[in-house]
Amino acid sequence: MKIALWAIGGVITIIILVFGVGAYWATSVKVDFNDQSVAGQFKQTFNANCTATYTQRAAKAGKAVVADQLTKLDQACSCWRDGVVATLAKRAPMTAMQIAGLLGSDPELKAIAQNCSTQSGIEEPL
């Protein structure tokens, strides 16, 4: 019984540490887009996140995203990704939380998203 309690306590401790480190990183660690490895990691995950978010929003609005639109969407996400990286590289390093807030509220980043959507033939902006 003691071993089971220690095992459960150990698992709970590990979970708390993982979430604690994740929360600390998201709120404290500065992300610098001038660092090529940081920009590269951001670029690797951006399109998948962009496409998933767009698809979820379309589903909530009762619209389906068809295969033809996915190709256009990937192009628009790539365009926006490159614009975001270039824009954030000009700014001071920020935390992940600050970057997430900027993606939805910054006028310059919104203009880039709108331009990329228009160029790619996406009706609804990213």
Side-chain angles (χ1 to χ4, degrees), residues 40-103:
Q41 288 175 335
F42 182 80
K43 286 181 176 184
Q44 285 180 345
T45 59
F46 189 87
N47 278 32
N49 292 335
C50 176
T51 302
T53 301
Y54 186 88
T55 304
Q56 286 175 342
R57 288 181 183 165
K60 282 185 181 178
K63 298 179 182 179
V65 179
V66 295
D68 180 46
Q69 289 175 311
L70 287 176
T71 302
K72 292 178 181 180
L73 183 57
D74 189 55
Q75 291 171 349
C77 289
S78 294
C79 171
W80 189 32
R81 173 200 65 205
D82 295 342
V84 167
V85 169
T87 301
L88 294 180
K90 297 175 190 173
R91 298 185 183 183
M94 295 176 265
T95 65
M97 296 297 287
Q98 290 170 323
I99 293 168
L102 277 179
L103 288 176

Side-chain angles (χ1 to χ4, degrees), residues 13-31 95-98:
T13 301
I14 290 171
I15 291 171
I16 290 171
L17 286 174
V18 168
F19 282 110
V21 169
Y24 171 78
W25 183 85
T27 58
S28 302
V29 175
K30 300 287 182 175
V31 179
T95 65
M97 296 297 287
Q98 290 170 323

